[in-house]
Amino acid sequence: MKLGFSLLSLFMKDVNEMLDIAVENGFNSVELLAEGPYRPDEMLGNKEITEVFHSYDLDIYMHAVNVDINLASLNPGIRKESVKQTKDCLDLAEEIGAIGITAHPGKIGRPEKYLRDMALEFLTESTHELVAYAEDKEAKISIENMPERFSYLGNRAYELENLTNETGCNITIDLAMSIPAKIRKVSSRFLISYITI
């Protein structure tokens, strides 16, 4: 079994330093969060940084940008920009040799079922577009489960199952988001796993 960790725990450190820490501590894989200095607009085409990833014997995964991103937005402009930025992440994943990229499914600001259903349709459209974009790339798109709150999409098993059946995307299961908030508050000693299917 391979063991990896999110480089978010080392956020803002130099890429070489983060990857050195991973290797020194016996990890086999890492996940780069495409935020801050690791955003595609900062790293794409910068061979000095992107080539570093190829000099380590690590499986590289990426977490797509997620700040202000909503693949299921009812606002077409926000949805279009969210898809564009996720495509940029797929391009960066290709440059650094990542084998998978995880994205958040989006959210809806109101509890009405018809709005949630509409947002799920938009998520399916966005995901179809991303799966098609990634078709010739090594990194494949994976949509992550989300916490149990009404506003998040992808927090119900049937939503994720329908999405993967309709689009062919992969699913990332973050067990920390699968544990109800009441249980998470009980103990800070949970070992949280992250699984990409």
Side-chain angles (χ1 to χ4, degrees):
M1 179 169 76
K2 293 186 175 184
L3 184 62
F5 75 101
S6 171
L7 295 177
L8 177 59
S9 61
L10 302 172
F11 197 68
M12 301 303 287
K13 289 190 181 292
D14 176 76
V15 169
N16 280 312
E17 184 180 358
M18 291 190 299
L19 298 178
D20 283 341
I21 289 169
V23 170
E24 289 165 7
N25 288 281
F27 288 98
N28 310 102
S29 65
V30 294
E31 180 192 57
L32 177 70
L33 174 61
E35 294 285 3
Y38 320 116
R39 288 188 329 267
D41 62 313
E42 293 284 332
M43 291 180 62
L44 271 171
N46 185 342
K47 297 281 185 205
E48 188 177 315
I49 296 174
T50 57
E51 288 299 316
V52 168
F53 288 90
H54 298 279
S55 61
Y56 289 83
D57 186 24
L58 291 166
D59 288 343
I60 308 294
Y61 294 86
M62 274 187 62
H63 196 299
V65 292
N66 57 38
V67 173
D68 299 327
I69 298 295
N70 188 353
L71 295 172
S73 178
L74 301 182
N75 179 319
I78 291 172
R79 191 170 61 252
K80 183 177 179 180
E81 181 62 26
S82 297
V83 169
K84 179 209 171 291
Q85 289 200 29
T86 306
K87 285 179 178 179
D88 291 347
C89 289
L90 281 160
D91 292 339
L92 178 58
E94 186 83 356
E95 267 194 35
I96 67 172
I99 56 180
I101 179 169
T102 294
H104 286 181
K107 58 186 175 181
I108 187 75
R110 297 182 50 113
E112 290 87 354
K113 183 181 180 330
Y114 79 95
L115 290 175
R116 184 178 191 89
D117 290 344
M118 187 184 307
L120 287 166
E121 287 177 30
F122 289 142
L123 172 62
T124 299
E125 289 175 19
S126 297
T127 305
H128 263 297
E129 189 173 340
L130 293 169
V131 167
Y133 189 78
E135 191 171 310
D136 296 328
K137 299 181 182 299
E138 183 176 352
K140 299 305 176 200
I141 192 76
S142 182
I143 302 297
E144 184 174 13
N145 68 307
M146 297 305 291
E148 190 180 336
R149 292 188 202 122
F150 88 87
S151 61
Y152 288 115
L153 301 177
N155 60 7
R156 298 167 180 156
Y158 73 87
E159 291 178 353
L160 295 171
E161 184 177 16
N162 289 345
L163 186 64
T164 193
N165 287 341
E166 292 180 33
T167 67
C169 72
N170 292 332
I171 300 296
T172 296
I173 303 296
D174 183 335
L175 296 181
M177 292 195 204
S178 301
I179 300 169
K182 291 179 201 168
I183 295 173
R184 278 197 304 262
K185 290 178 185 174
V186 170
S187 175
S188 61
R189 302 200 302 163
F190 274 84
L191 175 63
I192 304 303
S193 300
Y194 199 70
I195 304 166
T196 298
I197 299 172

